Amino acid sequence: MKNFIRSVLLCTILFAVPFTTLFSGDWRKITPSPMESLQGIYFLNQSTGFASGANGTVYKTTDGGKEWKEIYRDQKAGDLKEIFFVNSNTGFIAGTGARLLKTTDGGASFNPVAISNTTNEIKSVYFQDEMTGWILISEYGILRTTDGGLTWNTVLPLTGIKMNKFSFWNNTHAVATGAAATDIYYTADGITWAKSSPAPFGGFSYTKYDVKDVYAVDEKNIYAAGWGSIIGMQPSILIKSTDAGATWQFSVQDASNRTYENMNGLYFKDANNGIAAGGGTRGSVIIRTSDGGKTWIPVEIPCGTTLNAVSGVGDNVWVCGSGGLILYSPDFGTTWQHQMKIPGASLSAIQFTSDKTAYAAGSDGAFFKSTDGGNSWNAKYLRINHISPDIQDIFFLNDNVGYASFSYRMIAKTTDGGNTWKAVVSDTADATTISYGIYFFNELQGYVVGKAGTKVDAIYKTTDGGQSWDIKTNILLANLKDVAFGDENRGAIVAEGLKGLYTADGGKTWTASKFNGVPSGKTPHVLKISFLNPTDAVAVGNQCMFKSSDGGANWNYVAADGLTENLTGLTFQDQLKGWAVGSYISTPKKLGIYQTNDGGQSWTWVTDTTVFTSSESVTGVTLDKGGKLWICGSRGAVFTNNATVDVKSSMDISPSKYSLMQNYPNPFNPSTVIEYRIPELSSVRLDVYDMLGRLIGRLVNETQNAGTYKMTFNAAGLSSGIYFYSLNVNGNILTRKMSVIK
């Protein structure tokens, strides 16, 4: 069932595709599984492109990236990275474990190419035609074939030398770059390679000299980019050669334009105009030059995840990255559009503010919003002060006013439901400074807790809606994780290392809490806290649960049989009934949903393993206004046990795109007619499933012209019961249910 639910409940990033949910079980997954994290991207022309990534996946588009179809998956292949196509039929994809895949039919099928004597990662691949090509294997060498990959000869042995990429201008001139400043090689015949003279690195002190990508614009002009770090303020490496790679010059940027992140991908449309992309812990980075690399200007982009590769056709540029991210620019980087259905971010917090409005947020600044009670979600990345660090927590007072806490200390506020955000506590460049938990009484008074350094606690308090903050530090010497209050005076904070604080005077003074009854040898981190009333509170964390009856002054350990999860989410419906969620990295991964009916004195494991599987983690939990649970997790996952059926007419669903009618007759025995409409030439699939999500029949699987279609489904041989029929039009799915009565 879980695979069925993942396939039929789709929404899109930046705008939601409405759908009809007809699953009536206890739990269902709302968001679809995103594309795998992407490492490579390659476009043959403005329409046809390929992307590759984790778990041996390959995706293909034939419409410029609007829709992507998974065409290959082999988890044994590890990560697939660099892609190169000789023509529309013949292409190669390289990756970890000396994996090299070859297609001769435009990606309809792939076959492995044998590479002997090594299992090291293939970093780059290039073929001048279907027979002659080269591969770069890190810590092994550059190999050449003249028979389409049947046999290989080493033209440059590089045993023990970490290499990153090569770039060929033609079948003779090429440059290969590595992880050290001295590990750059060039060739003028494709066979004999020489070592380049290293570039003087602009007078900056570098801890690494990784040159991660290289791009040969022509026979002479070569660009390369790589390492950068805010630790020590090491600017992104940007170097250029004008003599085919023999010597290099470092491009020193003005302070206002400097970036301090890894640059992982390059694309140049001519000798002067280029784009570099990368990122790290503070978000995505794209920079652009129009003067041959002398000046690189940062470009504002709507994303936060690390960017790994760039491909371009003239002014059309595509960038791929972690979490299945694909960005597209039709104007050489001036504007950017998302091309994935949903970001594969790890969501850490989720909250309902009304019957219809809900929010979720997490890694890389990912921010989700629903305005239809959670049935569909819009998603974007929050980019504030030109960065998109991880969102640690959110707290909304109503549909419009909310706060978010970030890595790198930043606290931001919205007053228009998340459309725009303003930093009310600015970010820093210190990776050890993080804002974690948030709690607000009203639009004026609230708290944020975190750390101002390693084991240097920080408590932020505002009484004017974030305009100013009173900051207390070094009270507990611990990393503070969450804060909550039972009333305006009594509140508590929990921290790593079995530490906590409590107050009885509205935060004027804070006193260290005591943790009692903890089994010997255990020093767990306490991560989440919830008050049931002014004195009773519950806290959970790393394989631990606690209960307090005195406002957080004393915490008593609560034993829970089989508890191995790191509990990161906690919510209560009333003073007795509550839930805690979390995951434990094991083989296979264990997910935990625990329920209490006695105010946290005892807990029961209630995980539905048919829906919650080891493919995702669960991290946050909340209740909607109807008392139903919503859980968020890794890879953009949102789950609920709200089984509300939202049946709309086909014209309500998408009158301008496509529609799926209710079958007639319904109920039926033994046959019924299914009608659907499509407005344009489309790839169409019409499937029938049973209640367990098993495919019963495929009625249509072809490209169809615009029009209205009717298909007859015969249920002879099927038992009485509920079945689902699902219409897939260019990857967008509508689903309805039908009843067989015999």
Side-chain angles (χ1 to χ4, degrees):
M1 183 184 298
K2 57 182 179 294
N3 291 329
F4 174 58
I5 298 302
R6 286 175 185 157
S7 67
V8 301
L9 303 182
L10 290 182
C11 65
T12 61
I13 190 164
L14 301 180
F15 62 95
V17 175
F19 53 81
T20 303
T21 301
L22 295 168
F23 173 58
S24 59
D26 289 335
W27 282 98
R28 56 192 171 105
K29 185 181 177 187
I30 295 295
T31 52
S33 294
M35 295 170 70
E36 299 285 352
S37 288
L38 300 174
Q39 298 287 332
I41 193 165
Y42 186 95
F43 270 77
L44 286 162
N45 49 52
Q46 291 186 24
S47 299
T48 303
F50 298 84
S52 58
N55 293 313
T57 49
V58 182
Y59 304 89
K60 182 178 181 179
T61 181
T62 56
D63 59 6
K66 295 177 183 177
E67 298 292 337
W68 290 85
K69 179 182 179 182
E70 182 180 308
I71 59 174
Y72 182 85
R73 179 182 288 265
D74 180 6
Q75 294 188 3
K76 295 180 181 179
D79 291 348
L80 295 176
K81 299 186 177 181
E82 179 112 325
I83 308 171
F84 184 85
F85 270 73
V86 181
N87 50 47
S88 60
N89 292 317
T90 303
F92 298 83
I93 302 178
T96 57
R99 188 77 168 182
L100 183 64
L101 300 177
K102 180 179 181 179
T103 180
T104 57
D105 52 17
S109 62
F110 286 90
N111 295 302
V113 176
I115 308 296
S116 303
N117 303 321
T118 183
T119 57
N120 291 355
E121 181 178 340
I122 302 176
K123 291 283 193 173
S124 277
V125 56
Y126 170 82
F127 273 72
Q128 71 179 61
D129 53 41
E130 294 183 2
M131 303 305 291
T132 303
W134 292 259
I135 55 175
L136 171 64
I137 305 179
S138 183
E139 300 186 74
Y140 188 78
I142 297 176
L143 282 61
R144 181 173 182 262
T145 181
T146 57
D147 54 15
L150 294 176
T151 60
W152 296 87
N153 296 313
T154 302
V155 294
L156 177 62
L158 295 166
T159 303
I161 299 176
K162 293 182 178 179
M163 300 297 293
N164 288 323
K165 287 291 180 67
F166 64 35
S167 179
F168 277 74
W169 160 241
N170 53 27
N171 60 349
T172 57
H173 289 75
V175 172
T177 60
T182 55
D183 293 332
I184 301 179
Y185 300 82
Y186 66 102
T187 181
D189 60 10
I191 299 173
T192 304
W193 294 74
K195 182 173 283 192
S196 303
S197 297
F201 280 81
F204 298 101
S205 178
Y206 280 88
T207 55
K208 288 187 178 181
Y209 294 91
D210 264 314
V211 182
K212 294 179 174 292
D213 199 14
V214 58
Y215 196 98
V217 176
D218 53 39
E219 186 176 299
K220 296 294 185 180
N221 292 292
I222 319 292
Y223 294 87
W227 171 262
S229 176
I230 60 171
I231 301 175
M233 302 306 287
Q234 303 169 55
S236 307
I237 291 175
L238 300 163
I239 58 177
K240 179 182 180 180
S241 173
T242 56
D243 55 10
T247 62
W248 295 82
Q249 299 82 44
F250 184 92
S251 296
V252 179
Q253 301 301 301
D254 290 339
S256 60
N257 291 331
R258 285 178 196 160
T259 56
Y260 298 88
E261 305 284 358
N262 290 321
M263 290 298 167
N264 301 318
L266 282 169
Y267 164 67
F268 275 75
K269 68 174 183 178
D270 54 44
N272 290 317
N273 293 280
I275 283 177
T281 52
R282 286 164 60 89
S284 309
V285 175
I286 292 181
I287 56 178
R288 184 171 57 174
T289 182
S290 58
D291 58 7
K294 295 177 183 177
T295 305
W296 290 87
I297 306 297
V299 176
E300 192 62 30
I301 49 176
C303 67
T305 191
T306 299
L307 306 177
N308 294 321
V310 186
S311 181
V313 178
D315 285 338
N316 297 276
V317 184
W318 294 264
V319 181
C320 71
S322 301
L325 174 77
I326 297 180
L327 288 177
Y328 167 64
S329 173
D331 48 19
F332 201 68
T334 301
T335 60
W336 294 90
Q337 307 160 14
H338 287 279
Q339 289 196 319
M340 70 285 202
K341 299 296 181 186
I342 197 166
S346 294
L347 300 177
S348 56
I350 185 169
Q351 181 186 355
F352 270 77
T353 55
S354 63
D355 291 339
K356 295 294 185 181
T357 305
Y359 298 95
S363 62
D364 301 319
F367 181 73
F368 288 39
K369 181 178 180 179
S370 175
T371 56
D372 59 3
N375 282 315
S376 62
W377 294 79
N378 302 327
K380 64 180 180 180
Y381 291 97
L382 300 189
R383 196 166 180 87
I384 306 167
N385 293 348
H386 308 292
I387 63 171
S388 298
D390 294 343
I391 300 175
Q392 301 292 337
D393 198 8
I394 56 173
F395 194 103
F396 275 78
L397 291 154
N398 51 50
D399 287 358
N400 295 312
V401 179
Y403 294 82
S405 57
F406 294 78
S407 298
Y408 296 93
R409 189 184 69 178
M410 185 165 61
I411 304 168
K413 179 181 181 180
T414 180
T415 57
D416 57 9
N419 293 325
T420 59
W421 292 80
K422 179 182 178 181
V424 291
V425 173
S426 63
D427 60 283
T428 74
D430 184 356
T432 66
T433 302
I434 302 175
S435 295
Y436 285 112
I438 313 174
Y439 187 91
F440 269 74
F441 294 102
N442 49 51
E443 293 194 20
L444 294 177
Q445 186 175 349
Y447 293 82
V448 178
V449 299
K451 61 176 184 173
T454 303
K455 294 185 178 180
V456 179
D457 48 270
I459 304 172
Y460 301 84
K461 179 182 179 180
T462 181
T463 56
D464 55 13
Q467 295 183 54
S468 62
W469 297 82
D470 174 65
I471 305 173
K472 298 181 183 294
T473 60
N474 281 331
I475 299 175
L476 196 61
L477 300 179
N479 300 330
L480 308 183
K481 302 295 290 190
D482 199 21
V483 56
F485 277 76
D487 58 26
E488 290 189 0
N489 291 315
R490 285 171 286 195
I493 296 171
V494 291
E496 295 179 353
L498 270 183
K499 291 186 176 182
L501 296 166
Y502 71 97
T503 181
D505 55 12
K508 294 178 182 178
T509 59
W510 293 90
T511 306
S513 304
K514 294 182 180 179
F515 290 83
N516 308 309
V518 181
S520 60
K522 262 195 169 185
T523 311
H525 300 314
V526 192
L527 306 175
K528 278 293 177 182
I529 183 175
S530 181
F531 270 83
L532 313 184
N533 54 50
T535 56
D536 293 328
V538 172
V540 298
N542 259 2
Q543 304 175 31
C544 64
M545 295 174 168
F546 292 91
K547 177 73 184 285
S548 175
S549 299
D550 55 8
N554 288 276
W555 292 96
N556 298 313
Y557 183 83
V558 176
D561 291 340
L563 175 60
T564 58
E565 295 86 354
N566 300 327
L567 301 176
T568 52
L570 180 66
T571 191
F572 274 81
Q573 183 173 335
D574 51 41
Q575 295 189 42
L576 296 176
K577 193 171 186 178
W579 294 265
V581 304
S583 305
Y584 179 67
I585 304 303
S586 56
T587 306
K589 185 185 299 177
K590 185 187 177 189
L591 307 186
I593 302 173
Y594 290 84
Q595 181 176 326
T596 179
N597 293 308
D598 55 12
Q601 297 182 62
S602 62
W603 295 84
T604 303
W605 189 79
V606 293
T607 308
D608 182 351
T609 56
T610 64
V611 176
F612 297 93
T613 70
S614 59
S615 61
E616 285 113 0
S617 299
V618 293
T619 49
V621 60
T622 193
L623 290 162
D624 63 23
K625 299 307 177 181
K628 296 298 184 179
L629 282 171
W630 293 76
I631 292 174
C632 65
S634 62
R635 292 174 54 77
V638 176
F639 305 88
T640 185
N641 65 354
N642 187 339
T644 300
V645 176
D646 181 17
V647 181
K648 301 178 182 179
S649 71
S650 301
M651 298 306 292
D652 287 340
I653 293 172
S654 188
S656 63
K657 291 187 176 181
Y658 56 93
S659 57
L660 178 64
M661 310 305 181
Q662 185 65 52
N663 64 301
Y664 182 82
N666 187 45
F668 66 95
N669 177 32
S671 63
T672 189
V673 175
I674 299 172
E675 180 179 338
Y676 61 91
R677 299 168 185 168
I678 55 176
E680 59 187 5
L681 182 70
S682 304
S683 173
V684 179
R685 194 171 71 228
L686 181 64
D687 295 330
V688 178
Y689 297 88
D690 65 11
M691 282 291 291
L692 296 179
R694 295 176 298 200
L695 181 65
I696 299 300
R698 179 155 290 171
L699 307 184
V700 179
N701 188 20
E702 62 186 16
T703 299
Q704 294 182 329
N705 292 315
T708 299
Y709 295 83
K710 295 182 179 181
M711 301 300 299
T712 298
F713 174 66
N714 194 309
L718 297 179
S719 59
S720 297
I722 300 298
Y723 295 84
F724 299 91
Y725 56 100
S726 175
L727 177 67
N728 184 322
V729 180
N730 295 331
N732 297 305
I733 297 174
L734 294 177
T735 300
R736 289 187 178 274
K737 72 177 178 180
M738 56 187 177
S739 301
V740 176
I741 297 180
K742 293 186 175 181

